[in-house]
């Protein structure tokens, strides 16, 4: 299914009703992407297309497959909510046994300015001693989230085997604490991005492209 670029045109796609046969169900290849009309000063400009991201995710998965050859299973730890889409895209391309775990962490408030604080709990995780763990994150920005998370995991599970990080995006200009990911999709400029899991005030996560939301500041 292709999502069209963000458009203000609304096109209703009727949902199949129960009992309808697949053959007669209404079908559309293109679903209009509907989102609240951005204010005139908050325009979306695509920076990374869906196709470009898909190709790069495939390459990253190849690197990860070559790195974790003996993991059985590899613990893939997705950082919610931003990395939900990237995690889902990535695990489909991994060819070793994978165990999916999620943590909900945030260093951002409800807007687009970093709080510098990282909130969230690891209490629900299984014992990661002796395990290979790949943290999957949407974007490496100031570095606080991944510094905090890797530190907390190592403190909790000093016997963890390999711990590596994969990020879809890296914004090195914004770094406040030194951190480098092991696998990086794209290095991006210092702009506030949405789409592909990244939100602005809870919205735009379902945009398949990565776009810049003009009119927002860090
Ligand atoms: P860090 O702790 O490295 O500053 O930030 C990591 C988190 O900040 C990311 O997981 C993401 O949730 C959020 N973030 C950083 N830059 C952006 C951005 O350009 N757009 C959005 N939507 N979130 C961002
Ligand atoms: Mg995040």
């Amino acid at each position: 299914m292709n999502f069209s670029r963000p458009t203000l045109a609304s096109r209703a796609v009727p949902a199949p009703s129960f009992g309808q046969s697949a053959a007669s169900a209404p079908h559309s290849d293109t679903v209009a992407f509907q989102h609240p009309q951005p204010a005139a000063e908050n325009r979306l400009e695509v920076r990374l297309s869906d196709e470009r991201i898909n190709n790069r995710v495939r390459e990253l998965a190849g690197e990860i497959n070559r790195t974790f050859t003996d993991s059985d299973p590899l613990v893939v730890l997705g950082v919610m909510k931003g990395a939900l889409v990237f995690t889902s895209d990535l695990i489909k391309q991994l060819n070793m046994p994978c165990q999916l775990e999620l943590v909900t962490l945030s260093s951002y408030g409800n807007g687009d300015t970093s709080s510098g604080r990282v909130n969230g709990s690891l209490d629900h995780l299984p014992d990661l001693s002796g395990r290979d763990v790949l943290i999957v994150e949407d974007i490496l920005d100031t570095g606080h989230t991944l510094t905090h998370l890797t530190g907390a995991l190592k403190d909790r599970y000093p016997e963890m085997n390999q711990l590596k990080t994969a990020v879809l995006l890296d914004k090195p200009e914004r770094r406040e604490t030194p951190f480098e990911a092991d696998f990086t999709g794209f290095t991006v400029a210092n702009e506030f991005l949405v789409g592909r899991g990244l939100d602005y005030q809870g919205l735009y996560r379902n945009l398949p492209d990565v776009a810049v939301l003009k009119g927002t500041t860090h």
Side-chain angles (χ1 to χ4, degrees):
M1 183 182 293
N2 291 318
F3 281 91
S4 64
R5 290 277 191 283
T7 169
L8 300 179
S10 65
R11 182 160 140 230
V13 180
S17 56
F18 287 109
Q20 205 164 23
S21 76
S24 66
H27 174 77
S28 169
D29 279 330
T30 308
V31 175
F33 184 86
Q34 300 175 23
H35 60 78
Q37 176 168 358
E41 65 277 16
N42 285 356
R43 283 171 298 112
L44 284 174
E45 284 179 17
V46 172
R47 288 288 185 263
L48 298 167
S49 70
D50 180 31
E51 188 186 5
R52 215 176 141 194
I53 298 167
N54 290 340
N55 290 339
R56 183 66 186 128
V57 169
R58 211 168 294 124
E59 289 174 358
L60 280 184
E63 289 175 38
I64 293 166
N65 285 333
R66 288 189 288 278
T67 302
F68 291 102
T69 45
D70 298 326
S71 305
D72 189 11
L74 172 66
V75 178
V76 176
L77 183 59
V79 182
M80 297 297 105
K81 299 174 189 166
L84 188 150
V85 179
F86 178 41
T87 305
S88 160
D89 291 341
L90 192 64
I91 53 171
K92 287 181 285 187
Q93 316 269 346
L94 298 182
N95 58 19
M96 72 293 278
C98 285
Q99 178 180 337
L100 178 62
E101 299 292 340
L102 306 173
V103 284
T104 300
L105 298 182
S106 59
S107 67
Y108 266 50
N110 199 25
D112 55 358
T113 39
S114 174
S115 65
R117 282 195 335 265
V118 179
N119 304 312
S121 168
L122 305 179
D123 291 345
H124 61 287
L125 291 178
D127 185 5
L128 298 178
S129 307
R131 313 293 297 276
D132 287 340
V133 179
L134 177 69
I135 297 173
V136 181
E137 175 60 312
D138 53 357
I139 183 165
L140 175 52
D141 188 46
T142 63
H144 292 304
T145 302
L146 286 178
T147 301
H148 171 89
L149 179 57
T150 52
L153 287 172
K154 285 176 188 166
D155 282 352
R156 228 172 226 252
Y157 310 108
E159 307 289 307
M160 202 166 31
N161 198 28
Q162 294 191 76
L163 176 64
K164 295 202 182 282
T165 51
V167 299
L168 179 62
L169 306 170
D170 182 8
K171 225 188 256 181
E173 273 180 57
R174 291 258 308 156
R175 209 75 90 244
E176 291 176 5
T177 181
F179 194 95
E180 276 195 47
D182 299 287
F183 308 96
T184 299
F186 301 92
T187 300
V188 293
N190 184 9
E191 300 178 299
F192 188 76
L193 300 167
V194 296
R196 207 74 179 206
L198 293 160
D199 76 309
Y200 177 63
Q201 297 188 343
L203 299 176
Y204 305 105
R205 292 193 199 274
N206 55 324
L207 183 65
D209 310 310
V210 167
V212 62
L213 190 56
K214 292 283 188 179
T216 50
T217 49
H218 277 300

